[in-house]
Amino acid sequence: MPHRSFRAEVRDAVTPRATLLIVGVVALQLLFIASYVGALHDPKPKDVPFGVVAPQAAAGQALTRLERLPGSPLDPRALPDEATARAQLTHRDIDAALIIDPRGSTDTLLVASGGGRVLSTTLTTLVTALEKSERRTIRTVDVIPSAPHDPNGLSSFYLVIGWCVGGYLGAAALAISAGAKPSNPSRAAIRLAVMALVALTGGLGGALIAGPALDALPGSTAALWGLGTLIIFAVGAATLALQGLFGTIGIGLVILLVVILGNPSAGGALPPPLLPPFWKAIGPALPPGAGTWSTRSIAYFDNNAMTTSLLVLAAWAVAGAAITMAAAAARKRANATP
């Protein structure tokens, strides 16, 4: 057998297609680093919805003082009483509220660490410094505390990450596993049906692990199961759709959308008010962000303020399924053309 040159061996081992894939992997790696470090390296509060309860004269002065803070960390609004402030915290209309006592020197700060302990701690530090400059003190009350086994409020985020991983890995396995044939309408429908079964199973498993098994998250297990099913199917359908449109590159696009853009903007490690403007803007439109917001609503906020996030996830699911079927039909027509 003739001896082959090293150059020939390299040429056979590293084909042009493999070279492009390696370049894509390096690009995704660098984007991963840039996105996570860029989004999370310098958290600063910006326009945090913030309630102020005080007599009319004192409220006006407090609002002016808070509105003029350098960098606009707060978006203050006057509230009539403490009950309203607590209700708005529960409905996720505000992230904290300051109850000013005009008869004493100690005010009360209401926070909700269930929405992210980093945010409640940041707001406590900010308001404490502000009150100290006015020769006043604060008493902090955690109205909606994170669960004992979820001290930093991150279990919701990690649960959603797991569901998203199940979505794109499950769809990728269906589309590119050894022996898998190119999609046609019948195969696409079968793959979507299998993806729905994967979503039901993974959604239930995640809800049981985070809820009854580990006691990491309070809230309805059934509601978490339904949400997990929707998240997994939405990400899986999007993966099948992009793979149907772009082939193997489509899976890289899903990683770009869900992992590189979606995870750092999800509001998990840093709640949305602490994220830079770009990441704060895109987070709610991507599955990790919509999923994390909804999971926290189920766990801590009596299922409030979920409509928009559920519509986002449903849109991903419906669009992904529709594009998957349309791409398969287009492929069938193209193959049938002589």
Side-chain angles (χ1 to χ4, degrees):
M1 185 174 181
H3 177 72
R4 304 186 71 216
S5 69
F6 178 73
R7 180 177 298 179
E9 293 288 352
V10 171
R11 185 171 58 249
D12 290 345
V14 186
T15 64
R17 184 172 184 272
T19 301
L20 287 175
L21 289 175
I22 290 297
V23 171
V25 168
V26 173
L28 286 175
Q29 168 192 311
L30 296 178
L31 286 171
F32 183 96
I33 294 169
S35 66
Y36 279 69
V37 176
L40 308 178
H41 78 289
D42 187 23
K44 294 179 181 178
K46 179 69 174 177
D47 295 327
V48 180
F50 189 86
V52 176
V53 177
Q56 189 170 3
Q61 294 175 358
L63 288 173
T64 299
R65 186 169 73 250
L66 296 175
E67 287 170 349
R68 292 178 177 176
L69 288 175
S72 300
L74 303 178
D75 177 18
R77 68 282 310 268
L79 300 177
D81 50 45
E82 182 175 340
T84 301
R86 287 175 176 266
Q88 289 203 9
L89 276 169
T90 302
H91 287 85
R92 310 195 76 175
D93 295 323
I94 59 175
D95 290 310
L98 180 63
I99 316 297
I100 296 176
D101 180 6
R103 295 169 296 180
S105 60
T106 299
D107 300 325
T108 301
L109 178 67
L110 305 180
V111 297
S113 63
R117 184 169 295 278
V118 176
L119 178 59
S120 62
T121 300
T122 299
L123 293 175
T124 299
T125 301
L126 175 67
V127 176
T128 299
L130 182 63
E131 291 281 280
K132 185 176 180 180
S133 69
E134 300 288 328
R135 297 183 179 180
R136 300 181 66 83
T137 59
I138 65 163
R139 177 177 67 97
T140 302
V141 177
D142 198 345
V143 177
I144 305 172
S146 55
H149 295 145
D150 182 29
N152 295 313
L154 292 175
S155 295
S156 302
F157 175 52
Y158 293 136
L159 176 60
V160 170
I161 287 178
W163 280 332
C164 288
V165 168
Y168 64 73
L169 288 185
L174 288 170
I176 65 171
S177 60
K181 295 182 178 180
S183 185
N184 60 28
S186 61
R187 292 189 196 114
I190 291 170
R191 286 169 182 167
L192 286 169
V194 172
M195 199 66 243
L197 292 176
V198 170
L200 283 166
T201 304
L204 176 59
L208 290 175
I209 291 170
L214 299 180
D215 195 26
L217 288 177
S220 167
T221 299
L224 288 174
W225 178 14
L227 177 63
T229 299
L230 179 57
I231 292 171
I232 295 170
F233 185 78
V235 174
T239 303
L240 290 173
L242 291 173
Q243 193 275 335
L245 290 173
F246 304 107
T248 305
I249 294 174
I251 297 173
L253 293 176
V254 172
I255 294 174
L256 174 65
L257 289 171
V258 175
V259 179
I260 293 176
L261 294 178
N263 285 354
S265 65
L270 294 180
L274 297 178
L275 291 171
F278 172 75
W279 302 101
K280 181 179 178 180
I282 67 171
L286 298 172
T292 299
W293 179 273
S294 297
T295 304
R296 282 179 172 158
S297 287
I298 291 171
Y300 295 112
F301 295 93
D302 297 333
N303 302 327
N304 287 313
M306 291 176 58
T307 302
T308 300
S309 294
L310 292 178
L311 287 174
V312 167
L313 292 169
W316 277 81
V318 171
I323 293 171
T324 298
M325 295 301 299
R331 181 189 296 271
K332 182 178 180 180
R333 288 194 299 270
N335 290 339
T337 302

